């Protein structure tokens, strides 16, 4: 009798609990499913979970053509910003060791670099970051699923394990943050079989040796930069202009410094064919677009850095009704990261017209999570985002390039202040400072609001970060002139600009 | 005042033990370790050893038990033990061993179902202190002459297992007996602290 009563009460209690739980998430398994566990996806899912939503994040890394794969964290953590900056630092330390001798350090013998030691240290750090992300997801109660996600309909996501086993999840809202992967030039014979991309370079166990870097984007120049710094014979093959989209005068200074540093440049050339020789080396044939002549050389590695393609092919987006840009293949998004399907959102590298940067993806993800939870209606502001190219001589900028400012405001309505300066550290080290340059583009009349700030020099990222805040506050030239510089630094030279381009005077900074 | 403090600390210990108990029960449900008071579960208040056929063909295990009824449901044949000793028998033999966990099944067999107390060393390739603690742990368990074994879990290879056991920082060392978590610590410990940690595990 007692057992019977106990059983009946238990049934009532459990059905009551089920009723409450079902109403909390509605008819769906989750409030939010995020496809993509990169910078954007993780930030969005953690923020949403903190605001009380039931969240799942699907992350899956399709191995590269060469078979490289990695853990959670996306491009930035595994094959982007983090390993790039660490290897850039390794290269800078090599240069510093050479400078050290001028400063009195008794550095014995010729200095050589061991790729394996550096690669292992970098890869171990990346693994610690992968682990850190897993722990954070666990702490913030986000369900992590190592599945390749695709859309079934506007509320259903299908996940596939690497063995092909299927799982289906339903969600009230879906966010796509799958990012992009490097492109291969499929029309060039031998490109896929013998070349590598940025997905592979940071995970190589052995040194890439004599390398040909094809491309002139920041990925290409940064990779070529640190490879040269590590002592490897590096050539960059440029089709038209370096750093397209950036200020071209600054891009020229960056490549000038790299040439002086030891990187070889093949300008206006396009590769035709890559063949593997019996020695294991790669023979690359290219055409010089000016002369039309074919040329050849052998390399140990060929690194393709010709652009990135969005990861949308396997998501089944068209069948669900999500519109893509026909040329780029990226998802068309509104100002609030919405797509053409009302409860599906997309942001980060996958969004059309968005900067391909980690901090913007993180911020956009957090704001999206807050909007979906009803906490705010604030939209992400993508304008005037500061960025830095980590070439051997770093280039940091915020705001408009000179060309863009001329287009938007007219050449007569802008004033460009500039200066060639020499970092103090370069003096004793007897280093070439001819590419160290500052440019402040501002309006010509009124308050002379600053439209763009450009800086090449050591630690450009650290320098520009502070000025980016001033930019956000609407800094004008008088604000800049009123700011007292810190001495002796490179950054203070920005506060001291007074020569305009228009005047035609020599912009070299003299004395103290 | 001190009496209040005593009550408060006793409550905390009890609460902590209850939480640990609940977590252990949950783990047993998931991993299939046997509850302490089940008639065919291994209880380490060691009374008798006998060979027990676990329905795995020729394989036999040494099992400690307590209170098993004379007419046991599982066939006892210690009068005619099988010729070949199973791999699991050699693991639970006199030498204390340390071994690397291969997969979930391996963990279940060699750790959860181990009769010996087990130290689980959660470590990572990228963790400096783990490389220092590893040899210290080996030294500490070798001093115990086979009374304790050690399972080494690389958290990059077995991330789900590490997360399951609430590992957030490495090195994390968990002391387990009969499928239950008895104690744990995070970070480096010196040799003396490790010796007392291991002794406490065996002594209980």
């Amino acid at each position: 009798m007692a057992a019977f009563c106990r059983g009946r009460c238990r049934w009532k209690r459990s059905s009551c609990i089920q009723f409450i739980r079902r109403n909390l998430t509605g008819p769906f398994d989750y409030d939010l499913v995020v496809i993509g566990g990169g910078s954007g996806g993780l930030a969005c899912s953690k923020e949403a979970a903190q605001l009380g939503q039931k969240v799942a994040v699907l992350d899956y890394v399709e191995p590269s053509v060469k078979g490289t794969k990695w853990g959670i964290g996306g491009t930035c953590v595994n094959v982007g910003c983090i390993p790039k900056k660490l290897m850039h630092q390794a290269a800078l330390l090599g240069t510093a060791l050479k400078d050290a001798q001028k400063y009195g350090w008794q550095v014995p013998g010729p200095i050589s670099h061991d790729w394996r030691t550096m690669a292992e240290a970098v890869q171990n750090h990346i693994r610690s970051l992968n682990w850190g992300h897993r722990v954070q997801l666990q702490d913030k109660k986000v369900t992590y699923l190592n599945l390749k996600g695709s859309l079934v309909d506007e509320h259903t996501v299908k996940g596939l394990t690497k063995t092909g086993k299927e799982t289906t999840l339903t969600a009230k809202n879906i966010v796509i943050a799958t990012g992009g992967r490097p492109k291969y030039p499929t029309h060039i014979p031998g490109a896929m079989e013998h070349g590598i991309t940025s997905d592979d370079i940071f995970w190589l166990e052995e040194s890439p040796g004599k390398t040909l870097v094809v491309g002139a984007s920041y990925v290409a120049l940064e990779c070529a930069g640190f490879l040269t710094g590590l002592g490897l014979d590096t050539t960059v093959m440029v089709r038209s202009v370096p750093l397209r989209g950036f200020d071209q005068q600054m891009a020229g200074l960056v490549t000038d410094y790299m040439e002086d540093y030891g990187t070889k440049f093949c300008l206006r050339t396009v590769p035709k064919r890559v063949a593997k020789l019996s020695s294991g080396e790669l023979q690359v044939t290219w055409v010089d677009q000016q002369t039309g002549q074919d040329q050849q050389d052998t390399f140990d590695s060929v690194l393709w850095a010709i652009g990135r393609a969005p990861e949308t092919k396997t998501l089944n987006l068209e069948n669900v009704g999500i519109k893509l840009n026909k040329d780029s293949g990226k998802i068309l998004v509104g100002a609030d990261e919405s797509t053409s399907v009302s409860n599906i959102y997309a942001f980060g590298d996958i969004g059309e017209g968005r900067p391909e940067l980690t901090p913007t993806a993180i911020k956009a993800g957090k704001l999206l999570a807050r909007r979906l939870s009803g906490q705010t209606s604030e939209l992400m502001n993508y304008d005037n985002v500061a960025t830095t190219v980590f070439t051997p001589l770093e280039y940091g900028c915020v705001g408009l390039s000179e060309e863009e400012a001329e287009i938007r405001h007219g050449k007569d309505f802008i004033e460009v202040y500039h200066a060639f300066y020499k970092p103090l550290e370069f003096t004793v080290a007897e280093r070439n400072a001819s590419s160290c340059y500052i440019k402040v583009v501002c309006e010509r009349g009124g308050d002379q609001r600053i439209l763009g700030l450009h800086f090449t020099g050591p630690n450009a990222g650290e320098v520009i970060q502070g000025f980016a805040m001033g930019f956000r506050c609407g800094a004008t030239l008088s604000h800049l002139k009123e700011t007292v510089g810190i001495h002796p630094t490179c950054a203070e030279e920005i506060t001291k600009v007074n020569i305009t381009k228009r005047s035609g005077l020599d912009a070299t900074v003299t004395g103290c | 005042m001190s009496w209040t403090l005593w009550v408060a600390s006793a409550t905390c210990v009890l609460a902590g033990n209850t939480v640990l108990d609940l977590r252990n029960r949950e783990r047993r449900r998931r991993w299939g370790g046997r509850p302490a008071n089940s008639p065919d579960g291994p209880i380490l208040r060691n009374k008798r050893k006998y060979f027990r056929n676990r329905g795995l063909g020729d394989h036999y295990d040494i099992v400690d038990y307590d209170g098993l009824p004379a007419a046991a449901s599982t066939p006892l044949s210690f009068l005619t033990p099988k010729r070949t000793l199973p791999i699991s028998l050699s693991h639970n033999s006199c030498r204390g061993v340390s071994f690397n966990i291969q997969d979930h099944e391996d963990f279940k067999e060699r750790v959860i179902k181990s009769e010996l107390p087990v130290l689980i060393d959660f470590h990572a390739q990228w963790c400096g202190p783990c490389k220092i603690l590893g040899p210290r742990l080996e030294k500490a368990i070798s001093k115990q002459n086979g009374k304790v074994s050690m399972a080494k879990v690389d958290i990059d290879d077995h991330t789900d297992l590490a997360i399951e056991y609430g590992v957030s920082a490495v090195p994390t060392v968990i002391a387990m007996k009969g499928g239950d978590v008895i104690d744990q610590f995070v970070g480096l410990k010196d040799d003396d602290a490790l010796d007392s940690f291991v002794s406490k595990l065996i002594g209980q």
Side-chain angles (χ1 to χ4, degrees):
Chain A
M1 188 64 183
F4 175 68
C5 285
R6 226 183 4 258
R8 217 176 38 177
C9 292
R10 209 177 296 137
W11 174 83
K12 263 202 190 140
R13 198 168 38 242
S14 66
S15 75
C16 192
I17 290 169
Q18 265 177 22
F19 176 70
I20 293 168
R21 201 173 52 196
R22 225 186 359 257
N23 270 354
L24 285 175
T25 48
F28 305 113
D29 298 326
Y30 294 95
D31 295 314
L32 179 66
V33 163
V34 179
I35 308 178
S39 308
L42 292 178
C44 185
S45 55
K46 287 190 283 198
E47 186 74 11
Q50 268 190 302
L51 296 170
Q53 300 214 1
K54 190 164 180 232
V55 188
V57 67
L58 271 64
D59 186 59
Y60 185 85
V61 179
E62 193 67 50
S64 74
V65 169
K66 276 278 175 276
T68 314
K69 53 185 199 288
W70 48 88
I72 193 173
T75 298
C76 176
V77 165
N78 295 288
V79 286
C81 329
I82 303 293
K84 177 262 309 271
K85 187 87 193 282
L86 289 171
M87 292 199 178
H88 169 64
Q89 175 64 7
L92 289 180
L93 287 171
T95 317
L97 276 173
K98 294 194 197 92
D99 290 351
Q101 292 174 310
K102 303 254 171 48
Y103 278 90
W105 286 100
Q106 308 298 301
V107 179
I111 312 155
S112 64
H113 181 260
D114 177 40
W115 176 275
R116 270 181 175 250
T117 312
M118 174 190 71
E120 204 183 303
V122 169
Q123 287 154 22
N124 279 343
H125 178 67
I126 294 172
R127 288 190 194 103
S128 76
L129 294 177
N130 295 142
W131 169 254
H133 278 302
R134 280 302 303 275
V135 171
Q136 279 201 322
L137 288 178
Q138 180 76 7
D139 287 345
K140 303 224 154 77
K141 308 216 186 339
V142 176
T143 308
Y144 162 74
L145 300 162
N146 184 216
L147 301 171
K148 193 171 173 74
S150 60
L151 298 177
V152 177
D153 61 47
E154 61 265 18
H155 287 290
T156 317
V157 173
K158 181 177 80 175
L160 281 175
T161 63
K162 66 174 178 238
T163 50
K165 196 172 125 196
E166 255 183 54
T167 311
T168 312
L169 315 158
T170 54
K172 186 165 142 220
N173 290 311
I174 298 173
V175 170
I176 302 170
T178 47
R181 294 294 288 266
K183 276 196 244 183
Y184 267 93
T186 45
H187 60 282
I188 296 176
M192 282 187 88
E193 298 93 316
H194 309 305
I196 59 171
T197 62
S198 60
D199 279 354
D200 309 298
I201 185 113
F202 304 111
W203 293 90
L204 291 177
E205 306 265 298
E206 301 294 337
S207 168
K210 181 178 172 189
T211 311
L212 173 69
V213 179
V214 182
S217 56
Y218 60 83
V219 173
L221 295 186
E222 284 172 349
C223 288
F226 73 69
L227 289 172
T228 311
L230 297 177
L232 302 172
D233 183 341
T234 315
T235 309
V236 179
M237 192 163 280
V238 182
R239 184 181 59 183
S240 57
V241 294
L243 294 177
R244 185 186 298 281
F246 286 85
D247 187 295
Q248 284 302 292
Q249 182 194 11
M250 308 306 290
L253 290 168
V254 164
T255 50
D256 286 344
Y257 184 89
M258 284 177 72
E259 251 183 309
D260 189 58
Y261 198 58
T263 311
K264 298 184 210 140
F265 281 84
C266 281
L267 298 172
R268 280 174 282 285
T269 48
V270 174
K272 265 177 81 170
R273 194 168 46 251
V274 180
K276 192 156 186 166
L277 304 174
S278 52
S279 60
E281 288 175 314
L282 300 173
Q283 188 175 65
V284 183
T285 314
W286 66 84
V287 60
D288 184 331
Q289 290 182 310
Q290 278 179 311
T291 61
Q293 296 276 1
D294 271 12
Q295 279 166 19
Q296 258 184 2
D297 198 356
T298 49
F299 300 93
D300 295 320
S301 307
V302 175
L303 175 69
W304 303 107
I306 54 166
R308 294 175 69 81
E311 277 280 275
T312 49
K313 283 178 225 60
T314 52
L315 287 172
N316 191 31
L317 297 175
E318 293 87 350
N319 292 344
V320 181
I322 294 186
K323 296 201 171 56
L324 308 175
N325 176 301
K326 274 189 284 293
D327 300 314
S328 64
K330 293 188 180 182
I331 301 177
L332 293 170
V333 288
D336 60 346
E337 335 306 345
S338 57
T339 62
S340 44
V341 177
S342 62
N343 70 309
I344 302 183
Y345 301 83
F347 71 96
D349 288 8
I350 202 96
E352 175 62 38
R354 300 292 186 230
E356 290 184 0
L357 297 169
T358 283
T360 52
I362 292 176
K363 192 145 202 277
K366 287 189 174 158
L367 287 174
L368 177 63
R370 286 182 209 151
R371 289 197 301 271
L372 291 176
S373 307
Q375 299 273 327
T376 182
S377 52
E378 191 189 338
L379 298 176
M380 175 67 191
N381 183 355
Y382 288 99
D383 293 329
N384 302 321
V385 173
T387 182
T388 297
V389 180
F390 293 97
T391 37
L393 189 72
E394 295 173 16
Y395 163 40
C397 61
V398 59
L400 304 175
S401 62
E402 195 180 334
E403 298 94 336
E404 189 62 36
E406 277 180 17
I407 293 168
R408 289 197 198 187
H409 299 262
K411 198 165 178 174
D412 293 332
F413 296 94
I414 59 165
E415 194 75 86
V416 181
Y417 291 82
H418 66 156
F420 282 95
Y421 71 97
K422 186 164 188 172
L424 185 62
E425 294 81 3
F426 280 33
T427 52
V428 170
E430 291 169 16
R431 276 176 55 188
N432 182 358
S434 55
S435 296
C436 295
Y437 180 73
I438 295 163
K439 185 156 75 174
V440 181
V441 181
C442 50
E443 286 174 347
R444 199 167 174 196
D447 283 337
Q448 286 199 285
R449 188 171 60 98
I450 299 176
L451 303 168
L453 197 61
H454 303 265
F455 175 91
T456 47
N459 306 305
E462 311 290 353
V463 168
I464 287 292
Q465 182 67 90
F467 286 99
M469 187 176 94
F471 203 90
R472 186 52 61 117
C473 299
T476 62
L477 192 72
S478 44
H479 287 138
L480 193 59
K481 291 200 178 213
E482 281 162 22
T483 309
V484 180
I486 302 169
H487 186 71
T489 60
C490 300
E492 65 170 321
E493 302 296 341
I494 299 180
T495 64
K496 286 153 60 176
V497 286
N498 50 64
I499 309 277
T500 61
K501 267 197 180 176
R502 189 170 269 119
S503 67
L505 296 168
D506 179 14
T508 311
V509 167
T510 50
C512 203
Chain B
M1 177 68 172
S2 61
W3 184 82
T4 326
L5 208 61
W6 181 87
V7 168
S9 57
T11 317
C12 287
V13 167
L14 281 170
N17 280 343
T18 316
V19 167
L20 198 60
D21 225 28
L22 285 170
R23 283 173 74 180
N24 282 336
R25 222 173 290 162
E26 176 58 20
R27 273 196 209 97
R28 268 197 299 273
R29 185 191 65 76
R30 251 187 262 184
W31 290 93
R34 277 151 283 173
N37 56 359
S38 110
D40 63 349
I43 302 224
L44 290 159
R45 283 187 296 281
N46 192 342
K47 303 292 181 230
R48 246 186 295 172
K49 288 192 197 312
Y50 71 104
F51 289 95
R52 194 175 79 107
N53 185 321
R54 289 198 286 142
L56 298 173
D58 282 350
H59 293 167
Y60 281 77
D61 266 350
I62 296 180
V63 179
D64 293 345
Y65 80 105
D66 186 22
L68 191 71
S73 52
T74 50
L76 294 177
S77 44
F78 62 84
L79 293 173
T80 54
K82 293 285 178 175
R83 300 165 304 282
T84 51
L85 287 178
I87 298 167
S88 51
L89 179 60
S90 66
H91 279 165
N92 297 326
S93 66
C94 301
R95 288 177 297 113
V97 288
S98 75
F99 46 88
N100 288 310
I101 292 296
Q102 304 299 316
D103 52 35
H104 279 190
E105 265 311 306
D106 194 29
F107 187 81
K108 201 162 139 181
E109 288 303 315
R110 299 211 273 178
V111 178
I112 307 275
K113 293 181 181 173
S114 164
E115 297 84 35
L116 285 178
V118 190
L119 283 185
I120 314 168
D121 174 18
F122 289 95
H123 64 95
Q125 199 185 333
W126 40 263
C127 161
C130 298
K131 296 187 179 23
I132 302 173
L133 187 67
R136 285 189 195 168
L137 282 170
E138 299 271 0
K139 207 165 98 180
I141 66 161
S142 69
K143 281 186 198 167
Q144 299 301 335
N145 292 318
K147 296 206 202 90
V148 65
S149 63
M150 181 159 76
K152 296 192 280 207
V153 180
D154 184 324
I155 61 169
D156 289 329
D157 295 335
H158 308 289
T159 312
D160 289 338
L161 180 58
I163 300 265
E164 158 93 29
Y165 278 85
V167 177
S168 57
V170 276
T172 292
V173 176
I174 290 181
M176 189 176 268
K177 225 185 217 178
D180 292 338
V181 171
I182 306 295
D183 203 354
Q184 65 181 73
F185 70 84
V186 180
L188 264 185
K189 271 201 193 306
D190 63 21
D191 290 322
D192 294 329
L194 283 178
D195 285 339
S196 80
F197 182 82
V198 175
S199 308
K200 206 172 106 189
L201 168 65
I202 299 169
Q204 270 185 348

